[in-house]
Amino acid sequence: MSQDSTTVPETSRKLSGRRRREIVAVLLFSGGPIFESSIPLSVFGIDRQDAGVPRYRLLVCAGEDVPLRTTGGLELTAPYGLEALSRAGTVVVPAWRSITQPPPAAALDALRRAHEEGARIVGLCTGAFVLAAAGLLDGRPATTHWMYAPTLAKRYPSVHVDPRELFVDDGDVLTSAGTAAGIDLCLHIVRTDHGADAAGALARRLVVPPRRSGGQERYLDRSLPEEIGADPLAEVVAWALEHLHEQFDVEALAARAYMSRRTFDRRFRSLTGSAPLQWLITQRVLQAQRLLETSDYSVDEVAGRCGFRSPVALRGHFRRQLGSSPAAYRAAYRARRPQGGPERPDRLERLERLERADRPDRAEVIEPRVGDHSLPLRRPGAPGASTGHSGHPPHHHHAPHPEPGKPESDAYAPRLPEQAAGRVPGRQPLPGQRERPVG
């Protein structure tokens, strides 16, 4: 469950043995980044009762019998070992030194035992890899730093990785994104345990927002697993990133890899943890985001330079991934820049209305919920809607105007040869499909 939910999962579980709910154990490993490691120490290890923050009892535990060296070459001495985890009601793994190395078996056993005995288990940033290695994330939603999310999804396919969230609360197992999102999750734990007033008081002492809105979408980049460089698909992926301004589909990528579409989909998903079509859409949206931030191109021009066939397709995908229209995103971004003047909320609202009204002939978009071969289609009966399928995509790079009666969809919508030849009818929305307006 994400941070934006108004319902908090049930976390009250019976603790067995000597465990106490107010005791928080922080599990440290050698090679861990010092910033992430310090977050739970600062939140749970300092007495701030004078500020109205209930006190936790902190146990700092070494996860392995080696010197605990952090980034920068600092060496730490943990006063407790793995045996101290048996007393904690909450166990926090703030980070793991390498997403390519397996955690120590003894530490994984201790985490499993703590969870079986009712303890709440928390993984901050790459600490999610330790929880996943222990099997505690199997079948659960989880998040981690957006840069490592594809690797987590690939290595642990039973984990439902969501790289968009700042943190995910699944009741007795919680995970967060990187760095500052660890503070968000620790404040959420205080809020869950002691209420909004206590969390607000702690946030004021730390000089951070008590609750941040949004997620990791604004920080997403061209995220791929580190090990992709050694894979034969790396060349195809690199080509796609360099030619996002061109109109090509997943079929073209599969052809460049000398694979069938089905084989390419399977190989790409196993490598990145993402379907190739969804990955391609994300990269195009990210490219549009960068152009909106750094150029004065119109939204129509941005759409063409990012490989979208029409501004309608850009607006739909942009809003679904970033929660804003392109025009409103650009205005908000420029309002935050020091050299830009203040942008009033009412102006942003007017921009949103103009964005929705600037193309009166625009059709609403349906978001299909089938497979990775589907893309948003026009609502039946909307202007320009058609039941037929388009022919071959154009060879030039900028967004062409659709032919009369031709549905506007993404330039990279997969087409089979039979469809291009007109022997297969175009897709229709499935029964029960929800229709969502875009813009």
Side-chain angles (χ1 to χ4, degrees), residues 235-252:
E235 183 179 346
V236 176
V237 170
W239 182 90
L241 292 175
E242 293 173 2
H243 294 79
L244 289 175
H245 59 284
E246 301 180 14
Q247 293 183 1
F248 59 87
D249 56 16
V250 179
E251 296 282 356

Side-chain angles (χ1 to χ4, degrees), residues 90-437:
T90 299
V91 179
V92 182
V93 183
W96 174 237
R97 59 175 166 262
S98 173
I99 61 174
T100 61
Q101 294 182 18
L108 299 180
D109 289 339
L111 286 172
R112 295 187 194 101
R113 191 177 312 111
H115 182 255
E116 291 170 359
E117 294 176 358
R120 176 172 52 189
I121 311 297
V122 181
L124 308 182
C125 192
T126 53
F129 283 81
V130 181
L131 273 59
L136 302 182
L137 297 181
D138 290 351
R140 291 177 178 263
T143 192
T144 187
H145 193 294
W146 59 261
M147 188 167 61
Y148 305 125
T151 302
L152 183 65
K154 174 193 173 187
R155 190 162 298 156
Y156 303 100
S158 61
V159 180
H160 307 308
V161 181
D162 189 346
R164 299 169 299 177
E165 299 292 353
L166 290 176
F167 64 81
V168 172
D169 180 345
D170 196 41
D172 53 352
V173 178
L174 302 87
T175 52
S176 83
T179 315
I183 302 177
D184 296 315
L185 179 51
C186 289
L187 285 174
H188 171 76
I189 291 173
V190 174
R191 187 181 303 110
T192 300
D193 291 349
H194 302 291
D197 290 343
L202 177 57
R204 287 191 293 274
R205 289 294 291 266
L206 297 175
V207 198
V208 297
R211 188 196 297 265
R212 285 197 294 165
S213 61
Q216 292 191 83
E217 293 98 331
R218 71 194 73 173
Y219 309 110
L220 289 173
D221 204 345
R222 299 178 177 190
S223 50
L224 287 170
E226 291 182 349
E227 57 267 32
I228 191 175
D231 192 276
L233 288 184
E235 183 179 346
V236 176
V237 170
W239 182 90
L241 292 175
E242 293 173 2
H243 294 79
L244 289 175
H245 59 284
E246 301 180 14
Q247 293 183 1
F248 59 87
D249 56 16
V250 179
E251 296 282 356
L253 296 181
R256 293 188 69 87
Y258 301 100
M259 297 179 185
S260 68
R261 174 63 189 271
R262 178 176 297 180
T263 301
F264 181 79
D265 283 3
R266 184 176 65 252
R267 287 285 305 280
F268 194 95
R269 187 185 291 272
S270 68
L271 181 67
T272 68
S274 173
L277 180 58
Q278 186 56 51
W279 178 85
L280 187 56
I281 291 172
T282 299
Q283 304 314 312
R284 294 190 188 278
V285 169
L286 293 174
Q287 179 70 0
Q289 184 183 8
R290 284 187 282 269
L291 289 178
L292 291 167
E293 293 173 357
T294 60
S295 77
D296 292 322
Y297 294 129
S298 68
V299 173
D300 289 28
E301 291 173 315
V302 168
R305 289 174 180 271
C306 296
F308 290 103
R309 175 168 293 178
S310 72
V312 176
L314 167 61
R315 290 185 181 99
H317 289 304
F318 198 94
R319 180 174 290 280
R320 276 190 290 276
Q321 294 202 24
L322 297 177
S324 171
S325 71
Y329 176 86
R330 169 178 274 169
Y333 176 82
R334 292 183 174 178
R336 291 194 298 268
R337 296 172 62 184
Q339 63 268 33
E343 196 79 61
R344 302 196 314 272
D346 59 339
R347 174 170 167 77
L348 294 181
E349 291 176 6
R350 288 200 303 274
L351 284 169
E352 288 272 12
R353 289 197 296 271
L354 289 172
E355 175 78 13
R356 290 192 293 269
D358 64 351
R359 298 178 71 85
D361 59 341
R362 191 188 60 165
E364 297 185 15
V365 171
I366 301 171
E367 182 180 8
R369 302 187 180 275
V370 294
D372 135 275
H373 296 278
S374 300
L375 280 174
L377 305 176
R378 281 181 176 273
R379 180 196 299 271
S386 170
T387 58
H389 213 349
S390 61
H392 294 286
H395 296 289
H396 48 80
H397 297 170
H398 297 288
H401 294 290
E403 300 171 4
K406 180 179 181 179
E408 285 188 345
S409 61
D410 297 278
Y412 43 87
R415 298 180 180 89
L416 298 176
E418 295 83 354
Q419 292 173 321
R423 293 193 297 272
V424 179
R427 299 185 190 86
Q428 296 296 318
L430 296 179
Q433 240 173 16
R434 298 178 58 189
E435 298 177 314
R436 295 172 52 180

